[in-house]
Amino acid sequence: LATGTYRAAVIGCGKVGRGHAGSYRNAPGTDLVAVVDVNGAVCKAFAGEFGVERTYVNPVDMLEGEKPDIVSVCTWPPLHADLTVAACEAGSRVVLCEKPMALNLAEADRMLDAARGSGTLLCINHQRRFSARYAAARRLIEEGEIGELTQVTGICNGDALTDGTHLIDLTRFLNGDVSIGSVFGAIEMSHRGYVDPDGMGTLEFNETRMRYGHHAETGAMGLLFFENGVRAHLEIGILARGGYQRFFIDGTEGRIEVGGDPTGGRTENEGRLRLLRSSGDWEELEPVQEADPMTLSLRSMISVLEDGGDHLLSGESGRATMEAIMALYESARARKIVHLPFDYPESPLEEMIAAGEVPVN
Ligand SMILES: NC(=O)c1ccc[n+]([C@@H]2O[C@H](COP(=O)([O-])OP(=O)(O)OC[C@H]3O[C@@H](n4cnc5c(N)ncnc54)[C@H](O)[C@@H]3O)[C@@H](O)[C@H]2O)c1
């Protein structure tokens, strides 16, 4: 494909925007033509770094002026729904929106409706599905290397919307995207008392209990019961053992351990994939990551545009992950199991906090 076949724009020139901008360099056919940030100085510096010609401080002006084919929505979550809808209405063929998809299911549905209406391919950036380690773990499960999959234990620090969204999304991926039948959850809202040295939207957490512009719990636990009988046990935030996107995967004839992310100092990050067969021997595996996950995801979007097919990070899949998070919150509020589909439009967490009804405070 000739460079410039697909004209791309990034909205939000922050940490993750940098990853998107880098990926556009590596995906054939794409050309990053414009970037937007409310902070004009940040935007200009970012454009200089990535050799982008045009900068905007207002996303609507950019969408009208550029009519980009591909839009990356890289702002904090409270803006994901409105910016995604605006990009669809401006005729973008692909919107790659950052996780978490939105703040609640009403917003997620608004995004899906807009994308269907305009024929836009909406993707939610749970890019770890394109990480060689998790992809290899999924293949081992699919090929029966651990017999029948029975249970997935997933661990991540942070909070359910910000970080648990990757954890739940990967759990669904590892189990072949089988539907979730029901969710049982608990949350804790204690004072964690740490300040993340990297920022990551947590600096204000101890004062406001907010991260990335929305409320967040300090810890969450979840049980997901999948339609195929597989169970998942999730540990999130202060209730998690050390690790980020770290999994213990049990089957009838073996076990896989995979994760966490290869970098990061605060938590235990093993960055490993190993397989225990029924013989009792562990095998260390080192699958090759041929390009970074975001680049692979972007290449796959181009392939869907050119040749059709589905994308692993589809908006529908993003919504299914969002539904599980909202069901976990609802279970914590109602103190009972929640059966899916769960269509409640608002965030039970936000409502619980507003009503002063958080169970463990
Ligand atoms: N997929 C991943 O692995 C991953 C990793 C990190 C962050 N994220 C997600 O990416 C999103 C952004 O996180 P971040 O860490 O990059 O945040 P950030 O604070 O570093 O960057 C956000 C940028 O958006 C800009 N902005 C705010 N309002 C805007 C508006 N109306 N129009 C244009 N720009 C605006 C800000 O000025 C800032 O530069 C969050 O949803 C976060 O959860 C995803």
Side-chain angles (χ1 to χ4, degrees):
L1 280 178
T3 303
T5 307
Y6 296 107
R7 300 168 62 259
V10 169
I11 305 178
C13 300
K15 282 183 286 294
V16 94
R18 183 158 266 103
H20 287 239
S23 301
Y24 286 114
R25 278 184 178 160
N26 301 328
T30 63
D31 189 13
L32 182 58
V33 295
V35 291
V36 192
D37 200 291
V38 279
N39 184 329
V42 164
C43 193
K44 286 248 177 328
F46 187 96
E49 188 181 331
F50 289 97
V52 178
E53 271 183 28
R54 287 180 296 286
T55 60
Y56 293 80
V57 291
N58 183 330
V60 175
D61 290 345
M62 184 281 290
L63 292 170
E64 280 174 6
E66 303 289 339
K67 298 277 178 210
D69 302 300
I70 307 180
V71 175
S72 281
V73 175
C74 298
T75 60
W76 286 12
L79 294 172
H80 289 180
D82 281 351
L83 290 176
T84 295
V85 170
C88 290
E89 287 175 352
S92 300
R93 298 184 61 191
V94 177
V95 175
L96 172 55
C97 177
E98 264 308 327
K99 45 56 58 172
M101 182 172 185
L103 298 180
N104 56 49
L105 287 170
E107 288 187 351
D109 286 335
R110 200 150 59 78
M111 295 160 79
L112 286 171
D113 285 347
R116 285 187 197 116
S118 56
T120 303
L121 170 66
L122 171 60
C123 293
I124 307 302
N125 199 28
H126 291 118
Q127 81 281 8
R128 283 176 179 78
R129 285 176 180 239
F130 286 91
S131 167
R133 246 176 299 134
Y134 301 113
R138 170 62 199 146
R139 260 194 317 277
L140 291 171
I141 294 167
E142 227 175 344
E143 289 164 2
E145 295 284 354
I146 57 167
E148 289 288 313
L149 176 64
T150 54
Q151 180 157 324
V152 177
T153 301
I155 294 170
C156 78
N157 301 110
D159 68 270
L161 268 176
T162 308
D163 308 280
T165 190
H166 282 303
L167 193 73
I168 292 176
D169 196 72
L170 279 173
T171 302
R172 293 182 46 248
F173 173 64
L174 291 167
N175 191 28
D177 285 312
V178 167
S179 299
I180 299 170
S182 53
V183 176
F184 193 63
I187 63 160
E188 173 180 337
M189 287 288 286
S190 61
H191 221 262
R192 190 202 305 245
Y194 88 85
V195 173
D196 191 319
D198 300 327
M200 299 290 281
T202 58
L203 288 171
E204 78 282 38
F205 182 80
N206 284 344
E207 277 67 48
T208 63
R209 307 242 165 137
M210 294 182 86
R211 286 185 79 194
Y212 285 111
H214 55 80
H215 280 103
E217 76 289 344
T218 48
M221 283 174 60
L223 299 177
L224 310 181
F225 300 96
F226 286 89
E227 301 280 9
N228 62 350
V230 171
R231 296 177 306 282
H233 168 215
L234 308 176
E235 304 173 11
I236 299 169
I238 206 167
L239 292 167
R241 284 168 277 178
Y244 195 75
Q245 314 305 337
R246 182 171 170 216
F247 292 90
F248 300 88
I249 303 163
D250 289 296
T252 51
E253 291 166 36
R255 164 178 260 208
I256 295 167
E257 291 183 13
V258 62
D261 283 13
T263 57
R266 185 170 56 82
T267 57
E268 184 180 343
N269 284 301
E270 295 174 315
R272 77 176 350 168
L273 170 63
R274 61 180 195 153
L275 168 67
L276 177 69
R277 297 181 197 275
S278 48
S279 61
D281 296 326
W282 280 104
E283 189 182 335
E284 296 282 341
L285 300 164
E286 289 182 13
V288 177
Q289 185 79 45
E290 59 165 285
D292 70 276
M294 272 197 219
T295 297
L296 293 178
S297 162
L298 196 53
R299 287 182 188 162
S300 170
M301 284 167 215
I302 304 299
S303 140
V304 171
L305 287 183
E306 294 285 312
D307 306 319
D310 296 324
H311 196 282
L312 261 183
L313 309 186
S314 73
E316 285 76 10
S317 176
R319 190 202 186 274
T321 291
M322 183 89 207
E323 182 187 15
I325 298 170
M326 293 297 129
L328 189 159
Y329 285 151
E330 179 60 25
S331 175
R333 168 161 74 176
R335 294 167 217 194
K336 62 181 189 196
I337 199 159
V338 171
H339 297 281
L340 273 52
F342 179 66
D343 283 327
Y344 193 69
E346 302 296 332
S347 162
L349 178 72
E350 294 287 354
E351 289 190 341
M352 248 186 288
I353 290 169
E357 285 171 356
V358 177
V360 181
N361 220 331

